[in-house]
Amino acid sequence: MAINSSLITQDNFRAAVADYCNRMTEPAVPGWPIRKFLNQLDRYYACYVLIGLFYAGDDDAPAATLSRLQAESRLSPRQTATLVQTLSTAGLIAVESDARDRRQKVLRPQPELIREVGRSCACFVAAFDRLTGQNLSRELERSPDALGRLIARSRSVIRQSDTVIAAFPRVFAAAGFDCGYQLLVGLMAGHYASGPTHRVLTYKAMAERFQVSPSHVANVIAHFRAHGIIAPEKSGAVRPDFREEFEQWCAAEMQHYAKLMA
């Protein structure tokens, strides 16, 4: 996708990206480990699809059903059924009879699931606000339904073209590892760190923050090194060419969601 270069050329662009990274590495709320559950890309995408289906507003059929979720989520029938059962047991979705056809069961996402799945979307919109002086993120922070509708519009766009992340191969590769995107953002938060408001997390701290083992963090960091995200030496420094890719990814996401809110 064409990226609005005016975002990247702004003096405070990297500060906005750093703020995104800091927001994304904030501790999870106490309770059921929803963030750890969503750290696997397939589960996250399936939940994204579920929310998008629910808020799609189809007139001819109930949107968020088990069969439609399975058809679009890339999960197997067994994986889809397990996902729905887990989300239902955790109170993250409600399974309801459709008013038009009592035989159909609609999967209604609860606010906690919408907020967690839409967390990156909302943080990108907040970063866009910082750059443009707008206040688009206020509605998303106030209303889970507004965030759900944004996810639905995003799902519609990527079904017609492709995911935004597909254009950024190393970001996509990182997201494919279990907890990979969270660890990537934690690493980038440290890269941009400057002053008391910015966050530097050690590998041990990232393991605790993202509820994975220190050995898993080390394994993912090794993958980052192998995929050209960080330098081959053990300094762990982010490669300049990857920083450029990450910043272009952030600009593309800001643009994607802000356009959908227009």
Side-chain angles (χ1 to χ4, degrees), residues 79-152:
Q79 289 172 324
T80 308
T82 300
L83 174 77
V84 169
Q85 180 60 50
T86 301
L87 294 174
S88 178
T89 301
L92 297 172
I93 63 170
V95 181
E96 305 172 345
S97 296
D98 180 55
R100 295 165 293 186
D101 183 352
R102 305 298 292 181
R103 297 169 298 176
Q104 291 275 19
K105 300 298 181 182
V106 177
L107 309 176
R108 177 186 292 274
Q110 298 301 292
E112 294 81 4
L113 181 66
I114 298 169
R115 290 193 184 99
E116 193 58 40
V117 171
R119 197 163 60 94
S120 183
C121 317
C123 289
F124 274 128
V125 174
F128 181 85
D129 284 346
R130 176 170 178 167
L131 291 172
T132 63
Q134 299 186 61
N135 200 8
L136 300 174
S137 59
R138 180 174 59 182
E139 182 181 8
L140 302 181
E141 293 169 357
R142 179 175 51 83
S143 169
D145 287 333
L147 187 52
R149 289 190 291 270
L150 176 62
I151 291 172

Side-chain angles (χ1 to χ4, degrees), residues 10-213:
Q10 291 195 36
D11 291 340
N12 59 341
F13 174 74
R14 285 184 182 159
V17 172
D19 188 54
Y20 165 81
C21 294
N22 285 331
R23 286 172 179 255
M24 287 294 292
T25 54
E26 290 176 352
V29 296
W32 197 80
I34 180 174
R35 191 164 299 174
K36 182 178 181 179
F37 180 77
L38 294 175
N39 275 341
Q40 190 177 98
L41 181 59
D42 287 347
R43 290 177 186 161
Y44 174 85
Y45 182 72
C47 291
Y48 193 93
V49 168
L50 189 157
I51 294 167
L53 285 169
F54 182 81
Y55 284 95
D58 290 358
D59 294 325
D60 57 344
T65 62
L66 182 65
S67 60
R68 290 195 68 184
L69 176 62
Q70 192 267 308
E72 192 176 326
S73 69
R74 306 173 187 168
L75 299 179
S76 70
R78 182 176 180 178
Q79 289 172 324
T80 308
T82 300
L83 174 77
V84 169
Q85 180 60 50
T86 301
L87 294 174
S88 178
T89 301
L92 297 172
I93 63 170
V95 181
E96 305 172 345
S97 296
D98 180 55
R100 295 165 293 186
D101 183 352
R102 305 298 292 181
R103 297 169 298 176
Q104 291 275 19
K105 300 298 181 182
V106 177
L107 309 176
R108 177 186 292 274
Q110 298 301 292
E112 294 81 4
L113 181 66
I114 298 169
R115 290 193 184 99
E116 193 58 40
V117 171
R119 197 163 60 94
S120 183
C121 317
C123 289
F124 274 128
V125 174
F128 181 85
D129 284 346
R130 176 170 178 167
L131 291 172
T132 63
Q134 299 186 61
N135 200 8
L136 300 174
S137 59
R138 180 174 59 182
E139 182 181 8
L140 302 181
E141 293 169 357
R142 179 175 51 83
S143 169
D145 287 333
L147 187 52
R149 289 190 291 270
L150 176 62
I151 291 172
R153 290 192 289 271
S154 175
R155 166 188 163 267
S156 178
V157 169
I158 65 177
R159 287 187 73 207
Q160 296 170 25
S161 51
D162 200 354
T163 59
V164 177
I165 200 171
F168 305 94
R170 286 178 288 184
V171 177
F172 183 60
F177 304 126
D178 188 10
C179 198
Y181 188 72
Q182 285 289 342
L183 290 170
L184 176 66
V185 174
L187 187 72
M188 295 307 295
H191 172 76
Y192 291 113
S194 176
T197 62
H198 292 74
R199 182 171 294 123
V200 179
L201 296 175
T202 64
Y203 291 179
K204 180 180 179 182
M206 284 197 286
E208 294 174 353
R209 178 66 52 88
F210 304 134
Q211 300 173 305
V212 295
S213 68

